[in-house]
Amino acid sequence: MKTESEAPVVRVIHVEIVEGLLVNRIQVDDEEYQIVYDPHPISQRGDNYDLTCNRIVLQDEHVGLNFEKLPDALRPHILSYVSYSLSRNAEVTIANKFFLLVSLFRGLDADDDIEDAIKQRCIAALTKGSENEIDIPAKSMLRTFYRFAIDENMPYFDEDFLEYYLEHLIFGSDPRKGMDVLIEMKNRGCLTVKENRTFRRAVHNVDKEAMSMKELQGFISLRIAQVTGARDVQVRNLKVKHVGQEEGHYYLDIPRAKQRGANKRKQLKRRLVTPKSVSYTHLTL
């Protein structure tokens, strides 16, 4: 623990709305961070939520999320994660994630060294046989949240802790499932955390208008695989007719990977995508 004189100086410089996004500017010692998220996300079933309030009620689950229970140091982090998750996860999953983070980080503001306190609480929750050990699904949720905070370059979260500790943990089998569905993925594939961030930045800065048709098709295929988790064979089988819009939301109908039998060929999995992702396909028409 740091002494009082060594404790980091934390200051929220400014909070503002920029192009519909809520921007939190946070200063820790001499370094400035930005935590940016949509304060009015839309859930998978189309419900709109206002994260500028102190409390919301998840309509599908009729469960309340009280943001005043969050530690001040992590409130923008967790609100950003809730905003990100609402369009991607079922509301029961979001509620489970929220209550896990509230329980795990309760009283965090009292710690002098917030970054170290987060690490120690994570270790206690993930260590088998410890007094504060959480169950296997919760362990997976915790690692996913920590990885999200690293990817978004949020303060108090350490890349080395993720890369050399969290990413190497194997949680074992969930006793409520028939088999172990949690697979060890060191460094999430071929890229390290820092390399992954560089890769994402490079993809974001690509000039689509200057690409050839073949380059553009490859880029779109890469983005579809990244966003939806589709296999290469599924991406190759996509057609324009698989892109659609319903109730203001865009989606992709992704063909089944294993196409054995006539009936199997008709099976599709619907995945929500952003308007920006759909705009890429228009460049090829």
Side-chain angles (χ1 to χ4, degrees):
M1 302 289 286
K2 292 186 177 182
T3 64
E4 186 174 350
S5 61
E6 296 174 319
V9 178
V10 180
R11 190 159 56 99
V12 177
I13 302 174
H14 193 55
V15 179
E16 61 180 340
I17 299 290
V18 179
E19 297 182 356
L21 299 177
L22 196 147
V23 181
N24 296 266
R25 302 184 190 277
I26 301 172
Q27 185 169 323
V28 180
D29 289 332
D30 296 326
E31 192 164 355
E32 183 178 326
Y33 299 85
Q34 287 189 10
I35 297 180
V36 182
Y37 60 90
D38 182 359
H40 299 99
I42 299 174
S43 70
Q44 281 191 332
R45 59 172 248 166
D47 295 314
N48 192 294
Y49 293 100
D50 184 359
L51 302 187
T52 64
C53 298
N54 287 327
R55 185 177 184 272
I56 63 171
V57 176
L58 299 177
Q59 298 301 312
D60 198 26
E61 293 296 316
H62 304 290
V63 173
L65 306 185
N66 186 352
F67 301 140
E68 291 188 318
K69 292 186 177 181
L70 297 172
D72 291 338
L74 291 187
R75 179 162 177 158
H77 303 62
I78 296 175
L79 285 177
S80 176
Y81 191 50
V82 170
S83 176
Y84 171 84
S85 301
L86 272 167
S87 64
R88 294 166 172 82
N89 300 131
E91 291 187 358
V92 62
T93 303
I94 293 166
N96 289 338
K97 290 179 178 180
F98 180 81
F99 294 131
L100 167 68
L101 296 175
V102 168
S103 173
L104 186 65
F105 297 123
R106 183 179 289 114
L108 186 71
D109 291 326
D111 285 281
D112 295 327
D113 189 336
I114 294 174
E115 180 177 319
D116 183 66
I118 291 172
K119 291 179 187 176
Q120 296 305 318
R121 294 186 185 205
C122 287
I123 292 172
L126 297 172
T127 300
K128 188 173 183 179
S130 75
E131 182 180 351
N132 297 316
E133 183 187 7
I134 55 181
D135 63 19
I136 291 169
K139 289 179 179 180
S140 181
M141 290 179 188
L142 175 56
R143 178 161 59 183
T144 301
F145 169 71
Y146 202 102
R147 186 184 296 133
F148 170 82
I150 290 293
D151 286 341
E152 296 299 317
N153 195 31
M154 294 180 177
Y156 315 127
F157 290 84
D158 180 16
E159 290 182 2
D160 290 340
F161 182 70
L162 172 68
E163 187 139 345
Y164 299 112
Y165 177 69
L166 291 182
E167 295 285 30
H168 289 260
L169 292 179
I170 302 175
F171 301 142
S173 299
D174 184 344
R176 292 171 294 180
K177 297 182 181 294
M179 60 180 295
D180 186 357
V181 297
L182 299 176
I183 303 171
E184 180 185 21
M185 296 178 66
K186 294 181 179 179
N187 298 327
R188 292 170 293 164
C190 60
L191 301 180
T192 64
V193 172
K194 292 181 181 179
E195 290 169 342
N196 186 63
R197 182 176 297 155
T198 302
F199 174 75
R200 290 177 59 195
R201 191 181 303 117
V203 169
H204 178 74
N205 292 330
V206 165
D207 183 2
K208 273 75 70 176
E209 300 286 350
M211 286 182 169
S212 67
M213 183 59 68
K214 184 175 290 188
E215 290 170 337
L216 187 58
Q217 289 174 340
F219 176 79
I220 293 172
S221 298
L222 173 65
R223 295 299 288 154
I224 290 174
Q226 284 182 311
V227 172
T228 67
R231 302 180 187 179
D232 55 351
V233 65
Q234 292 174 291
V235 175
R236 288 199 301 270
N237 289 333
L238 283 173
K239 296 179 173 59
V240 173
K241 67 179 182 180
H242 292 135
V243 182
Q245 184 179 12
E246 187 176 76
E247 298 181 355
H249 303 295
Y250 290 97
Y251 62 83
L252 278 177
D253 281 333
I254 300 176
R256 191 175 183 272
K258 297 180 180 179
Q259 300 285 356
R260 296 193 182 94
N263 293 332
K264 298 293 186 182
R265 299 177 191 277
K266 300 178 182 179
Q267 292 184 7
L268 302 168
K269 291 184 178 180
R270 180 158 294 183
R271 293 288 183 265
L272 293 176
V273 293
T274 63
K276 184 176 181 180
S277 298
V278 174
S279 70
Y280 294 153
T281 63
H282 295 163
L283 297 173
T284 65
L285 301 178

